[in-house]
Amino acid sequence: MSFNRGKRVLIGILLPLSLFFCFSCEEPVETFSSDNTILGKTVNLENVKFEKGIYGGTLYDSTSSDPKTFNPVFAHETSSTVAVAGIFEGLTDVDIKTLKPAGRLAVSWEFKDNGTTWVFHLRKDVRWSDGKPFTADDVVFTYNKIYFNPEYPNSVKDMFEIDGKLPKIKKLDTYTVEIKLPQPFAPLLYSLSADIFPEHLLREIVESGKFKTFWTVATSPEKLVGTGPYKLVKYVNGQYLVYEKNPFYYESDGYGSKLPYVEKKVIYIVPQKDTALLKFKNKELDFYGLSGDDFPSLKKGEKNGNYTIYNLGPSLTADFICFNQKREVLPEWKLKLFSNATFRRAISHAVDRKGIVLTVYNGLGFPVYYPVTKANKLYYDPEAPKFPYDLEKAKELLESIGLKDRNGDGWLETPDGHKVEFSLLTNSNNPNRVQIGSILKFDLKRLGIDVHFQPLDFNNLVEKLLNTHDFDAVIIGLTGSIDPNGGKNVWKSSGQLHLWNPNQKRPATQWEAEIDRLFDEGVKELDFKKRVEIYKRAYRIIAKEQPVIYIAAPLVFEAVRNRVKNYFPTIWGTYKPTRIFIKE
């Protein structure tokens, strides 16, 4: 998982709410008919038919922040992961249609020894974007020398580690790799979607200890060598990224033609949403993520503007509040407060999720109390613990831990006299989070808690969350994953993205230790139904303890120019994006 800027948090419609949703329940209930094209076109992958494409043209998109790095190993924010998407590939990928693992750089595999030994057969027609051949050496090098290197803390290592042990990967021949696991590992095929890197370019860099400072945003684009369909050719800070198709890319369409069809892609860096909207209306962008304010005018202009609005359904991710619990950076009274589950539950009761859905998402969204949204039907649990909006209950819980207005100034104080106040950060280029922060500041003031709300530049915010840990509380989101093990670096106490107290050498609490145990148990369990129940137990603990206080999630919409053909978006990603072509 990585931090989500919320670039395609695409929601909202200024139409009578009763037409669409009923808010008598904890979550919205759809009341419209199956013919709901007013909310945008939906994609049924069972009916997808690809046209034979036309070569050439340029696709134009936007992102709200500059990348922080071009190195996928150390990229923890979507501004960076978006910048390198399409450059690198893994052994496997997810088939968007079935949501099952599929081959990418590996074409087939088999296992033995009760699933502890796997043999992967690699594609023989793959070349790196500099023309050098891809082989098993690249796979072995990537995992043994980079991902599993103890000097490089990274999410891939977090995913593969079981009881402190890592797989052993070796080359059998030029196009065959063997992976030996310390014990059965159920999410192996999903986990092997991690990017593979070129040994011929990086071996000397890694051996000299310079890999952490390689592939920075100052790196010349030609040094970003991958096997993916595109290569970066130009980056101008604060302006744009330019990509051209990889001339050596191996994939073909069903008509015998090489992919991708589109010759070039440009991603403009547009921090302000209003500017991105203007660019879309002026036909300078092919894609635009809708917000509530945009929907009425864009929907009205859909036909004349020659674009289509797609409804992708419920978001995979939800924004949340997280209180810092890292001892080294907090005063003792704040650490004691933020570490108290009763305090966190009180704050959760003070979050008006339904009001936020109505106000921020204009009714097209749903309250969230749980680490998985209902988009992931396998692991969603409507029976998990909830702390619904109730200021009286919140006040009662705060009083139970000794927080009272002792001097009559309107603000709560701790038993030892500290005014109850904290700073609350979020990224300034996400207007939804900024609006949520203002709502929370107002509601918490009603309880006597003084919130100092401060939106920051996204990359500056991520620096505070991951490196300096200089924050009290934050409103942020994380990218979603199909398999729960993809979030292991968030939920295990030793994980880099265990946001409230990362990289613990041993669990700070008993409930964190239990989550560690369940996540370790989950990767070993090969019975799928049992595995689902294991992770649901872990998620229920998280919902009860509230280390992150989930708020709400939107429905996801996207406006796309009709010149973009073979485009089939889903909430899990675009279906076969290399088949996209442009026809004016």
Side-chain angles (χ1 to χ4, degrees):
M1 282 189 175
S2 58
F3 290 115
N4 178 3
R5 292 175 293 117
K7 187 247 180 187
R8 295 213 188 282
V9 174
L10 320 170
I11 41 76
I13 185 168
L14 296 179
L15 291 171
L17 292 173
S18 59
L19 181 62
F20 304 117
F21 293 105
C22 166
F23 283 91
S24 62
C25 306
E26 284 299 321
E27 297 193 359
V29 178
E30 297 180 4
T31 59
F32 48 83
S33 70
S34 59
D35 181 21
N36 61 341
T37 53
I38 191 171
L39 293 181
K41 182 178 179 179
T42 57
V43 173
N44 182 352
L45 295 182
E46 297 300 325
N47 299 329
V48 162
K49 292 182 180 179
F50 289 102
E51 299 179 47
K52 181 174 174 54
I54 301 169
Y55 286 112
T58 303
L59 280 176
Y60 298 94
D61 203 350
S62 67
T63 182
S64 60
S65 301
D66 280 283
K68 193 174 180 182
T69 179
F70 289 139
N71 193 322
V73 179
F74 307 118
H76 297 294
E77 58 289 313
T78 51
S79 58
S80 298
T81 55
V82 164
V84 295
I87 296 177
F88 302 101
E89 298 177 306
L91 291 180
T92 63
D93 203 352
V94 174
D95 184 331
I96 297 298
K97 189 173 183 178
T98 65
L99 298 185
K100 294 179 180 179
R104 177 53 62 186
L105 294 176
V107 291
S108 63
W109 48 82
E110 62 265 1
F111 63 88
K112 55 185 178 181
D113 302 332
N114 295 319
T116 58
T117 301
W118 290 69
V119 175
F120 288 84
H121 305 282
L122 310 180
R123 297 186 68 106
K124 298 180 180 180
D125 57 348
V126 179
R127 284 196 280 171
W128 295 97
S129 56
D130 62 2
K132 299 291 175 64
F134 160 78
T135 70
D137 291 321
D138 297 306
V139 178
V140 174
F141 169 78
T142 296
Y143 279 95
N144 289 342
K145 300 298 183 180
I146 296 179
Y147 288 136
F148 296 166
N149 189 327
E151 295 181 12
Y152 306 144
N154 64 86
S155 298
V156 175
K157 179 176 178 290
D158 288 345
M159 282 194 298
F160 275 100
E161 195 169 53
I162 311 172
D163 297 333
K165 297 178 182 177
L166 290 166
K168 297 184 183 301
I169 301 179
K170 73 175 183 178
K171 169 185 172 181
L172 297 184
D173 61 43
T174 304
Y175 295 105
T176 312
V177 171
E178 179 186 82
I179 300 180
K180 280 192 171 291
L181 302 167
Q183 50 198 308
F185 184 65
L188 177 67
L189 294 178
Y190 284 111
S191 301
L192 288 172
S193 62
D195 293 332
I196 301 298
F197 307 122
E199 182 193 33
H200 68 274
L201 178 69
L202 296 180
R203 175 167 286 280
E204 185 177 332
I205 300 294
V206 171
E207 289 178 350
S208 64
K210 298 177 181 177
F211 183 64
K212 281 187 176 181
T213 56
F214 194 65
W215 282 345
T216 67
V217 291
T219 300
S220 299
E222 65 269 14
K223 292 184 179 179
L224 274 168
V225 176
T227 61
Y230 288 93
K231 58 180 182 176
L232 181 69
V233 295
K234 189 173 185 180
Y235 165 53
V236 179
N237 182 272
Q239 296 186 44
Y240 55 78
L241 301 110
V242 181
Y243 305 80
E244 291 179 357
K245 69 178 183 180
N246 176 2
F248 302 107
Y249 192 58
Y250 54 87
E251 192 178 5
S252 298
D253 64 9
Y255 304 96
S257 300
K258 285 284 189 179
L259 295 173
Y261 294 127
V262 175
E263 184 69 31
K264 185 184 290 187
K265 298 194 301 181
V266 176
I267 299 179
Y268 291 107
I269 297 160
V270 187
Q272 300 302 321
K273 182 179 74 72
D274 291 345
T275 306
L277 175 59
L278 183 62
K279 280 182 170 290
F280 182 78
K281 287 184 174 180
N282 289 340
K283 301 183 180 179
E284 297 175 51
L285 294 177
D286 290 307
F287 308 93
Y288 178 73
L290 278 66
S291 68
D293 293 340
D294 309 326
F295 195 99
S297 63
L298 283 176
K299 187 63 183 174
K300 183 178 180 181
E302 190 173 16
K303 185 175 181 180
N304 290 338
N306 200 24
Y307 55 82
T308 299
I309 294 175
Y310 287 89
N311 175 3
L312 308 187
S315 170
L316 290 171
T317 63
D319 290 337
F320 57 78
I321 311 163
C322 181
F323 286 96
N324 191 359
Q325 298 180 44
K326 198 164 182 65
R327 178 174 297 278
E328 297 85 349
V329 296
L330 291 173
E332 186 62 31
W333 73 269
K334 277 189 178 179
L335 176 65
K336 184 177 179 181
L337 194 62
F338 298 165
S339 300
N340 191 317
T342 301
F343 173 77
R344 300 193 298 268
R345 291 171 192 143
I347 299 299
S348 189
H349 275 303
V351 177
D352 185 3
R353 294 170 176 86
K354 292 181 185 179
I356 287 169
V357 168
L358 287 166
T359 304
V360 178
Y361 299 151
N362 286 327
L364 285 185
F366 46 98
V368 177
Y369 303 88
Y370 186 68
V372 177
T373 75
K374 60 182 180 180
N376 192 338
K377 296 178 181 178
L378 290 173
Y379 294 95
Y380 180 67
D381 183 2
E383 304 304 318
K386 295 180 177 68
F387 300 92
Y389 183 58
D390 187 337
L391 288 182
E392 287 302 315
K393 181 65 175 177
K395 184 177 180 181
E396 181 183 313
L397 290 175
L398 294 172
E399 289 180 351
S400 74
I401 56 174
L403 303 182
K404 299 178 181 179
D405 180 9
R406 290 175 162 78
N407 57 14
D409 65 353
W411 301 111
L412 300 180
E413 287 88 31
T414 64
D416 53 357
H418 292 281
K419 177 185 174 184
V420 180
E421 59 183 336
F422 59 83
S423 63
L424 177 63
L425 309 180
T426 196
N427 51 310
S428 57
N429 57 4
N430 187 312
N432 291 337
R433 289 175 188 160
V434 172
Q435 195 174 359
I436 289 170
S438 298
I439 293 170
L440 292 174
K441 176 181 172 70
F442 175 79
D443 276 343
L444 291 178
K445 182 179 180 180
R446 295 167 67 188
L447 289 175
I449 297 175
D450 193 7
V451 176
H452 308 288
F453 181 49
Q454 183 182 8
L456 298 177
D457 168 76
F458 182 69
N459 288 340
N460 185 16
L461 177 65
V462 172
E463 177 70 16
K464 287 178 176 289
L465 299 182
L466 289 184
N467 297 322
T468 66
H469 307 291
D470 178 23
F471 73 99
D472 287 345
V474 64
I475 302 171
I476 196 70
L478 292 164
T479 56
S481 61
I482 294 173
D483 189 271
N485 197 58
K488 186 177 178 180
N489 61 334
V490 176
W491 302 123
K492 286 207 68 173
S493 61
S494 58
Q496 276 190 300
L497 292 181
H498 193 72
L499 195 55
W500 59 97
N501 190 5
N503 302 313
Q504 298 176 32
K505 293 183 179 179
R506 60 179 60 86
T509 63
Q510 288 186 347
W511 63 265
E512 285 172 292
E514 178 62 6
I515 290 173
D516 287 358
R517 187 191 69 77
L518 288 168
F519 266 77
D520 283 341
E521 183 182 346
V523 298
K524 303 172 194 174
E525 180 55 67
L526 301 181
D527 183 301
F528 184 72
K529 289 185 178 180
K530 291 180 180 178
R531 192 163 181 261
V532 168
E533 286 306 311
I534 289 169
Y535 285 113
K536 282 187 175 181
R537 291 208 306 272
Y539 290 145
R540 287 177 197 134
I541 294 171
I542 295 162
K544 177 184 175 184
E545 297 294 335
Q546 296 284 287
V548 294
I549 300 168
Y550 283 95
I551 303 170
L555 294 177
V556 180
F557 296 86
E558 186 170 26
V560 182
R561 300 229 158 265
N562 291 336
R563 76 188 196 111
V564 181
K565 305 298 183 182
N566 281 350
Y567 182 67
F568 302 105
T570 77
I571 195 65
W572 297 100
T574 303
Y575 186 54
K576 298 188 182 298
T578 55
R579 299 196 179 201
I580 292 172
F581 68 95
I582 297 169
K583 185 177 180 181
E584 298 294 349

